[in-house]
């Protein structure tokens, strides 16, 4: 079904704000204006044949589409069959600006980038001479307030585990009485056989439905879905409840406040009780629980989490792997919590849209000795250069502000389309976090049917949680894309 | 000290084989012929100033040199001061061919590479349409015998943890009675709070002095140094002894055989005893324990490890992160063990020189359901393209065979130089694994002094274990480099 046909049949009911200077065409002059699907199914035969070839080597059961990245452009993903889809999922929220950003391709052709890409160093021991400059003109320009130290890593899971390790080490030094206090011989010996006192019985507290990665430490903190965790050994770390907020908040303000208070109380109780058994060295939380179903809580709830963590000697880690880099209308989602100076998180972790993963932290959590939080690559200079260019483009075109404005357009458009499908869609949320919006279906089956039909109609959209859909478009996602999205949704919702 | 001066003063005592067709100049026509050091210390002032700048953001205490990668060439690393060092450490054993390989730079300029580098997909869900071809013409051409499945990851630590996860899942399915046996509701519920039965009390057995990474699962298996492990929570997993081999083996054949028999017996005992408490789902070992001090054992020892693991239902993981990709004279170091058909390892993990990390495995360890061993990126197409080109160059120039031959030259040369410094150097080993050789000093202090003086004289060389030095040159390392190395060593050993 061509979107052109679709467009002609669905009346636009969306109120339009005055024309703004930025349009995705500014960056992507050749970006398509509408989806184009010419196979009977999506994935079509070429995509399916490619998956069958991959099956001989790798697991293809998680494939959605096999893609033609050279032909993809801006907010439009082209698949192996030549279908052209508006992409509001963007590689699980990992593309900041769009496909084939001209500025990034130009970076890719530069000698600086090619040298960095094909001569990957052991950054912790042999950094390139431009390293400080690359960080100071890139990642450090977006360092969260109060956090002026950085460890670069290769992915979000290892970013979180790097923060865990730093927190454990700092926690133990505090217990020893000073940053410089030496280890005992017993500690040095016992840690080699994974026994206390050298291997401490400490924990990381996370929240129900939270997602923090898939490696053994991060997976121990992940609480999203059983299929992520079953059969994998995990640390006996505590989990605290996350508020079950009811929507719209205006209608359930009182209930939601009571629910948050209940969760805060239980959270503090867990921190207290674990002190006797497996003290909590760090608390980790996402500003919006994304994989877990786009679950939100109030700014006050998050402020309290931070203060209560400190009260009980736990470091506070904000996992911005999915929420970071502008998509929520501020560069970091936790900015809107309104934390007081001095109350900033101890760690902010990032990856995905930034391409270079890592943690921002404070000098007090730099390990007291070298080689304690070290590895071979410790990040990747080419991804750091890519991050710098992504940040530069975001700033040049005011893409965070643009996304905030697009969020308003999106809210109006979704509110309108959902008003006609109240039997199917509920819990529209995220109206205060730009385009980072989500909504629920009555069941996983209906949600999956919706996602499949959206794809067949030229929109790649993604699920989360048990029966939710999350919007994760780029920062160049604009009003024309909103129109394509809601027209397609309107059509699909009528068909379900 | 200029190497030219050095060369004029040190007589060459190395026997030279007949000239061979391959020389590193074939690939690197402009490669320097000797080191060049013009600062009083190495690192010099520019390197130190760059480290001081980085210190404001990142931990510089592990810095060795700050480098100028654009100017580095082949086996020669150029630092920020313009010093030109023969590099036999190669970014902790992570550079296969050399710096600025023309074939890799050409790849870097191709549209295919630039598209892949700047449009990183979520490979498990949206692979590029060329993906099967890239694997079939690259990584799969070097798949270890018997292992025709592949999972790509971002680093060696996550490769090992990916193997651990696959082993745990397969182990549990075997316990359930079949590949397809369903989970119980109790398992699905309990794993969400990290409790059994859903979170199993299973373990990975590793060996004393083994190194398998720095994330929480891989670090639990790492047994190299206390500074890597102290203060970090770890799983209560067992550690088995690794033979303390005495050198030369010809002299201590009987003692070494007895030592290996002792270790095998204890290893089997641990496997048996853990069945009652925390059954061993997987055994992991390096073919040469590298970070732990270049510790070797016989081919028979490794064959027995593999057979005993299977006897006790444990999967067998060979960690070739450091030993893989030709440097030991075979593409994979475990090839020389002489395992019978059907006795191949269950998993072979790789990273470093391959640039694209991952695991080779068998179809029986593909998880029985999708999304069980999944993450956002699941490897990196640009690194896969880089790996393909590295493999192509290795094959075109027969670099594995070349390295085997260079190993013979190196053995002769080192034997000669060590014969004159028997008071300082002992336990020369690895003569049967090409250039992957090592030797010991009387103490860490003397070893560190040697490494520092080598650097000051234009050779970047690296330590391992407590008082060892490991050679980790590229696969283009050739006789002229051997000569520079041993001349410099001879000079430095005289000075110590």
């Amino acid at each position: 079904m061509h979107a052109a046909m679709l467009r002609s049949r669905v009346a636009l009911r969306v109120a339009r704000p005055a024309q703004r200077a930025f349009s995705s065409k500014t960056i992507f002059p050749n970006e398509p204006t509408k989806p184009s699907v010419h196979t009977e199914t999506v994935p079509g035969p070429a995509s399916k044949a490619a998956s069958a070839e991959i099956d001989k080597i790798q697991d293809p059961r998680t494939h959605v589409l096999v893609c033609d990245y050279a032909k993809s452009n801006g907010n439009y993903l082209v698949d192996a069959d030549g279908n052209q889809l508006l992409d509001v999922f963007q590689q699980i929220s990992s593309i900041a600006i769009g496909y084939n950003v001209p500025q990034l391709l130009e970076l890719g052709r530069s000698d600086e980038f090619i040298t960095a890409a094909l001569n990957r160093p052991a950054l912790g021991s042999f950094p390139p001479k431009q390293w400080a400059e690359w960080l100071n003109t890139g990642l450090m320009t977006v360092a969260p307030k109060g956090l002026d130290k950085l460890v670069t890593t290769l992915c979000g899971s290892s970013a979180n585990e790097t923060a865990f390790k730093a927190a454990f080490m700092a926690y133990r030094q505090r217990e020893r009485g000073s940053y410089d206090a030496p280890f005992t011989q017993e500690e040095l010996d016992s840690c080699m056989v994974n026994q206390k006192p050298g291997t401490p019985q400490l924990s990381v507290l996370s929240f129900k439905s939270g997602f923090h990665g898939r490696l053994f430490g991060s997976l121990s903190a992940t609480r999203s879905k059983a299929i992520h965790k079953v059969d994998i050994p995990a640390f006996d770390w505590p989990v605290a409840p996350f508020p079950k907020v009811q929507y719209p908040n205006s209608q359930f303000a009182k209930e939601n406040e009571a629910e948050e208070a209940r969760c805060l109380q239980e959270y503090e109780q867990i921190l207290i009780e674990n002190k006797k058994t497996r003290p909590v060295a760090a608390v980790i939380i996402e500003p919006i629980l994304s994989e877990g179903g786009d679950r939100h809580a109030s700014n006050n709830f998050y402020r309290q989490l931070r203060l209560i963590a400190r009260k009980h000697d736990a470091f506070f880690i904000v996992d911005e792997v999915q929420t970071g880099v502008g998509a929520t209308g501020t560069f970091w989602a936790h900015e809107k919590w309104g934390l007081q100076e001095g109350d900033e998180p101890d760690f902010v972790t990032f990856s995905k849209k930034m391409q270079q993963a890592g943690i921002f932290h404070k000098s007090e959590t730099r390990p007291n000795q070298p080689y304690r939080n070290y590895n071979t690559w410790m990040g990747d200079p080419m991804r750091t250069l890519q991050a710098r260019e992504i940040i530069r483009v975001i700033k040049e075109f005011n893409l965070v502000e643009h996304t905030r404005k697009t969020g308003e357009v999106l809210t109006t458009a979704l509110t309108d389309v959902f008003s006609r499908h109240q039997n199917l869609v509920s819990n529209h949320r995220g109206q205060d976090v730009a385009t980072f919006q989500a909504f629920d279906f009555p069941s996983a089956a209906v949600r999956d049917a919706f996602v499949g039909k959206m794809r067949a109609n030229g929109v790649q959209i993604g699920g989360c949680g048990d029966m939710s859909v999350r919007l994760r478009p780029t920062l160049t996602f604009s009003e024309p894309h909103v129109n394509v999205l809601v027209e397609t949704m309107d059509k699909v919702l009528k068909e379900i």
Side-chain angles (χ1 to χ4, degrees), chain A:
Chain A
M1 166 66 65
H2 273 262
M5 292 168 59
L6 192 142
R7 184 181 289 266
S8 68
R9 294 192 309 184
V10 181
L12 285 181
R13 297 185 187 81
V14 183
R16 299 266 177 64
Q19 191 71 23
R20 291 189 308 272
F22 179 80
S23 136
S24 61
K25 295 269 184 184
T26 309
I27 292 180
F28 305 105
N30 301 317
E31 187 186 46
T33 51
K34 56 182 189 297
S36 159
V37 172
H38 60 84
T39 56
E40 276 187 36
T41 59
V42 185
S47 202
K48 285 178 185 167
S51 284
E53 275 307 302
I54 294 172
D55 189 13
K56 295 170 189 167
I57 311 164
Q58 297 200 316
D59 187 353
R61 291 169 298 178
T62 51
H63 286 184
V64 176
L65 287 173
V66 179
C67 301
D68 188 336
Y69 288 101
K71 291 192 181 143
S72 299
N73 193 321
N75 293 273
Y76 282 84
L77 177 66
V78 173
D79 73 11
D81 291 277
N83 296 313
Q84 178 178 287
L85 293 90
L86 175 67
D87 189 353
V88 296
F89 191 47
Q90 292 288 342
Q91 309 296 325
I92 321 180
S93 197
S94 298
I95 305 284
I97 299 166
Y99 296 107
N100 290 305
V101 180
Q103 292 86 343
L104 290 178
L105 297 181
E106 196 185 326
L107 169 71
R109 289 184 208 102
S110 70
D111 286 343
E112 186 173 55
F113 183 84
I114 291 169
T115 299
L118 280 318
N119 293 289
R120 179 158 48 167
L123 269 172
S125 291
F126 302 93
K129 64 178 188 174
Q130 310 94 324
W131 188 237
E133 182 211 327
W134 290 347
L135 296 179
N136 283 323
T137 56
L139 286 169
M140 294 312 294
T141 68
V142 294
K145 229 172 116 181
L147 307 186
D148 63 350
K149 297 289 179 281
L150 171 72
V151 181
T152 40
T153 69
L154 288 181
C155 69
S157 291
S158 45
N160 285 335
E161 297 204 1
T162 297
F164 293 177
K165 286 174 69 174
F168 285 128
M169 291 186 269
Y171 189 96
R172 287 290 294 125
Q173 283 309 119
R174 211 170 44 198
E175 285 189 325
R176 288 190 183 95
S178 82
Y179 182 78
D180 292 324
F183 313 119
T184 66
Q185 193 59 47
E186 189 189 3
E187 286 170 340
L188 295 174
D189 292 343
S190 58
C191 77
M192 296 305 290
V193 287
N194 299 3
Q195 301 297 322
K196 55 184 179 178
T199 300
Q201 298 275 316
L202 295 173
S203 63
V204 172
L205 179 147
S206 58
F207 292 83
K208 204 175 164 191
S209 300
F211 182 90
H212 304 290
R214 299 281 210 132
L215 301 166
F216 282 79
S218 46
L219 187 61
S220 291
T222 283
R223 314 283 180 167
S224 44
K225 298 192 181 82
I227 199 68
H228 301 163
K229 289 173 70 77
V230 68
D231 291 350
I232 314 296
F235 292 108
D236 188 8
W237 290 351
V239 56
F242 189 83
K244 284 182 188 132
V245 170
Q246 297 178 72
Y247 297 95
N249 194 54
S250 55
Q251 195 181 322
F252 294 99
K254 208 172 161 184
E255 289 86 344
N256 290 343
E257 207 176 309
E259 168 69 357
E260 290 193 345
R262 179 189 73 83
C263 290
L264 285 171
Q265 196 174 20
E266 197 169 325
Y267 160 67
E268 183 159 17
Q269 203 53 41
I270 293 168
L271 286 168
I272 292 167
E273 278 174 15
N274 267 267
K275 276 190 187 168
K276 300 169 210 153
T277 54
R278 203 176 284 265
V280 174
V283 168
I284 186 167
I285 193 157
E286 301 156 276
I288 298 158
L289 276 52
S290 300
E291 178 68 23
D294 268 32
R295 301 183 61 184
H296 296 250
S298 73
N299 294 334
N300 179 60
F301 177 78
Y302 278 98
R303 284 196 302 270
Q304 294 306 315
L305 287 185
R306 196 282 165 269
L307 297 176
I308 293 169
R310 187 167 56 196
K311 180 177 163 192
H312 296 288
D313 305 319
F315 290 98
F316 192 67
I317 306 171
V318 179
D319 178 343
E320 293 247 24
V321 168
Q322 185 151 167
T323 52
V325 194
T328 68
T330 47
F331 197 90
W332 301 107
H334 77 270
E335 287 171 39
K336 77 184 177 90
W337 296 346
L339 293 169
Q340 299 293 306
E341 198 178 322
D343 292 345
E344 295 91 356
D346 295 296
F347 300 92
V348 172
T349 67
F350 59 93
S351 182
K352 286 192 177 270
K353 285 191 185 67
M354 196 78 98
Q355 295 293 322
Q356 173 59 69
I359 69 170
F360 287 107
H361 67 117
K362 303 172 185 176
S363 54
E364 71 195 61
T365 50
R366 182 180 283 184
N368 65 341
Q369 287 188 35
Y371 293 108
R372 299 193 70 187
N373 218 347
Y374 177 89
N375 57 69
T376 297
W377 284 323
M378 301 203 73
D380 190 336
M382 63 148 286
R383 296 292 174 202
T384 294
L385 285 171
Q386 186 182 6
R388 180 171 78 159
E389 189 61 22
I390 288 168
I391 291 164
R392 202 194 59 68
V393 171
I394 289 173
K395 289 181 177 175
E396 177 180 348
F397 296 101
N398 285 313
L399 294 183
V400 180
E401 191 193 340
H402 165 73
T403 298
R404 207 158 49 229
K405 288 181 183 164
T406 305
E408 291 168 19
V409 177
L410 179 67
T411 296
T412 306
L414 289 178
T415 304
D416 176 66
V417 74
F418 293 156
S419 72
R420 276 170 282 121
H421 302 281
Q422 294 183 33
N423 56 325
L424 282 173
V425 183
S426 61
N427 296 336
H428 176 201
R429 54 197 181 274
Q431 293 92 330
D432 60 337
V433 283
T435 59
F436 214 89
Q437 302 190 24
F439 43 92
D440 292 348
F441 284 89
S443 71
V446 176
R447 187 267 314 270
D448 294 346
F450 171 79
V451 168
K453 278 177 182 288
M454 286 295 285
R455 188 177 303 123
N457 282 281
V459 177
Q460 175 57 42
I461 197 166
C464 64
D466 295 327
M467 49 190 84
S468 303
V469 163
R470 56 179 154 177
L471 296 179
R472 292 295 184 271
T474 69
L475 304 187
T476 60
F477 186 71
S478 302
E479 194 182 338
H481 308 119
V482 172
N483 293 337
V484 170
L485 172 67
V486 296
E487 286 162 21
T488 312
M489 283 175 62
D490 199 40
K491 173 177 182 294
V492 164
L493 289 169
K494 278 177 189 152
E495 287 174 7
I496 290 179

